[in-house]
Amino acid sequence: MPDTPAWPSPARRFSPPARYCAANHFRHFTRGRYALGEAFRLAGIGRQGALLAPAYHCVTMLDPALALDAEIHLYPLQADLSPDPMALERLLGTIQRPVKALLATHYFGIAQDFSHLKAWCVDHGIALIEDCSHVLLTEHFRAAGTGIHGHFVTSSPYKFFACDDGGLLYAADAQRLDPVATTPATLIEELRGLKNAVERSRGRTLPSRDSASIDERLELLSATKLDWGNDQLIDRDGPSSLFSIASATTSSLRSSRFVVDHSSIDENIQRRRENYQRWVRTVAAVPNCRALFPLLPADCTPYMFPLHIDHPNPHFHWLKHLGVPIWRWDEMADSTCEISCDHRLHLLHLPCHQALTEGQMDWMTAALEKTLRHAVEGVQ
Ligand SMILES: Cc1ncc(COP(=O)(O)O)c(C=O)c1O
C-alpha cells in the first residue's frame, strides 16, 4: 500500500478549489461516523475481525463497529491522549479473534505522531484508521502532521464549516475504495441542507445574560439541590440512536462540499486559534481546573478547548444550567484506562469555533471563571 499522502504539505486555501489528487482517493458521507463505518468494513471488521479502539471515545466512534457486530477492545491512553504502546502490546496478546484494525484519534485537533503506531500495525497485519474527526481535513487541506499514516483516514468537515453535513473517507491506496459506492442526496435533501446552512451561517445564539446575572444565577444554583443526572455507564451491544443504517452510504450534500471548498481556511484557523488562546489565558489563574493542552502547537487548528475540572459535581451541572455550551463524553464504554475513566466526567470540551463573536467569548469566559471560583460545599 503506498505510504505517500495524496495532499501536499503545507496546503492553505484554494480559490477556485484545486484538486491535488484524484477524486478517487476520497469518498464523501454525511458524517464522519459513516466514513469510519466504511473504513472498518474495508479493513475486515465484523464478526470475524476485531477492532482496537481508544478507551477515551464518544459513542459515534464505536457505533459503526457495533453496527458490524464486531468485537471491540479498548486500549489505554497516556496523559497526552496518545496510545500507550506497552499496554497495546499486552492487550493484543489477550485477544483470540484476528484484530483487523486500530482506530487512532487526534483529539481536539492536536496532532499525534502515529509513525510508530503505523509500524506496529503493519508488523501485526492491522490496518491503521486515522480518526481526523477533530482535525481540519478536507479534500484540499490537511492540518500538519495528520492524515499521513493511516491506511484509511476519516474526517468530519461539517465540524469546521458552516455546512449541513460532511464526512470524508480517504485511502492512500485509492484502489481500496473501489468497492465503496455512495448514493447522492435527493433534491429535497439538498434544499433542506441549503436552508440549514444559511441559518447556521448566522451563528449560534447564547444566553444574552450579563455578567451580574451570572452571579445571581450562581447564587440560586448553589442554594438549590440539583439532580446530578444519571452518570451510569451504558453497556451497548448495538449502535446508538445517533447511527442510522439508512444513512450509512448517503453522500454529503453538494452544497456542503461547496461551502467547504469556498470558505477561507486561513480565517478559520486564525479565529479558532485566537479563541483557544483566549480560553488558555482565562483559565491560567482560575482555581479548580487545568487546561489539558495549554500550549497550542504552531500548526494546529483546534477543534475544541479541553479543560479538566476538579469538581464536576457541581461545576459541570452549574455550567450546563447557566447555558454554557459544554460537552463531555460521559456515555463512553468502561475500560481499565484510568485516564479515560477520569476524563469521562472531568474533561470538558469548550467551543472555540471560528463563528463565535467577541461578546459570546466574553460571556462564556466570564461564566466559566465565576462558576469555577464559586465555593463548593465541603471543599476549602
Ligand atoms: C473523535 C471523534 N471521532 C469520530 C466522530 C464521529 O464524527 P461525526 O460526528 O462526523 O460522525 C466523533 C464525533 O463527534 C468524534 O468526536
Side-chain angles (χ1 to χ4, degrees), residues 126-148:
I126 295 172
L128 175 63
I129 299 174
E130 205 176 325
D131 176 6
C132 294
S133 183
H134 291 184
V135 170
L136 181 50
L137 190 146
T138 74
E139 265 187 273
H140 313 290
F141 178 86
R142 73 177 161 80
T146 65
I148 310 166

Side-chain angles (χ1 to χ4, degrees), residues 98-146:
V99 173
K100 293 292 185 184
L102 182 147
L103 179 66
T105 302
H106 300 281
Y107 297 95
F108 309 110
I110 312 277
Q112 299 281 352
D113 178 359
F114 289 145
S115 53
H116 298 294
L117 189 64
K118 169 72 176 283
W120 184 84
C121 285
V122 170
D123 277 355
H124 291 90
I126 295 172
L128 175 63
I129 299 174
E130 205 176 325
D131 176 6
C132 294
S133 183
H134 291 184
V135 170
L136 181 50
L137 190 146
T138 74
E139 265 187 273
H140 313 290
F141 178 86
R142 73 177 161 80
T146 65

Side-chain angles (χ1 to χ4, degrees), residues 47-243:
R47 289 205 178 129
Q48 307 307 323
L51 171 71
L52 286 168
Y56 189 62
H57 58 266
C58 61
V59 284
T60 52
M61 291 160 72
L62 303 192
D63 274 346
L66 291 170
L68 291 166
D69 228 354
E71 199 174 273
I72 303 170
H73 297 270
L74 299 177
Y75 65 80
L77 299 172
Q78 308 183 97
D80 65 353
L81 297 183
S82 63
D84 179 339
M86 308 282 276
L88 252 181
E89 192 69 55
R90 280 196 300 274
L91 177 62
L92 187 66
T94 66
I95 302 172
Q96 306 293 319
R97 260 183 222 183
V99 173
K100 293 292 185 184
L102 182 147
L103 179 66
T105 302
H106 300 281
Y107 297 95
F108 309 110
I110 312 277
Q112 299 281 352
D113 178 359
F114 289 145
S115 53
H116 298 294
L117 189 64
K118 169 72 176 283
W120 184 84
C121 285
V122 170
D123 277 355
H124 291 90
I126 295 172
L128 175 63
I129 299 174
E130 205 176 325
D131 176 6
C132 294
S133 183
H134 291 184
V135 170
L136 181 50
L137 190 146
T138 74
E139 265 187 273
H140 313 290
F141 178 86
R142 73 177 161 80
T146 65
I148 310 166
H149 298 295
H151 295 101
F152 298 104
V153 177
T154 62
S155 73
S156 307
Y158 81 96
K159 290 187 166 126
F160 285 84
F161 298 92
C163 53
D164 205 38
D165 69 0
L168 195 62
L169 170 63
Y170 162 83
D173 177 357
Q175 282 184 356
R176 294 200 71 176
L177 297 182
D178 284 350
V180 182
T182 52
T183 321
T186 62
L187 184 62
I188 300 280
E189 286 163 340
E190 289 285 353
L191 291 173
R192 198 181 305 130
L194 271 176
K195 180 175 160 281
N196 293 343
V198 169
E199 279 167 10
R200 191 160 297 143
S201 68
R202 294 196 187 118
R204 61 179 307 156
T205 45
L206 286 175
S208 58
R209 297 189 189 105
D210 57 26
S211 161
S213 75
I214 297 174
D215 292 323
E216 273 168 38
R217 300 247 313 146
L218 274 173
E219 282 311 317
L220 254 173
L221 284 168
S222 59
T224 313
K225 188 145 183 50
L226 290 178
D227 177 6
W228 300 142
N230 180 10
D231 279 343
Q232 299 300 309
L233 289 165
I234 300 165
D235 197 9
R236 286 201 176 82
D237 52 11
S240 74
S241 59
L242 299 172
F243 191 90

Side-chain angles (χ1 to χ4, degrees), residues 24 26-29 34-35 37-39 41-42 152 169 171 174-183 248-249:
N24 61 349
F26 299 97
R27 290 292 184 279
H28 292 268
F29 296 86
Y34 303 120
E38 272 306 312
R41 197 176 63 82
L42 293 169
F152 298 104
L169 170 63
Q175 282 184 356
R176 294 200 71 176
L177 297 182
D178 284 350
V180 182
T182 52
T183 321
T249 55

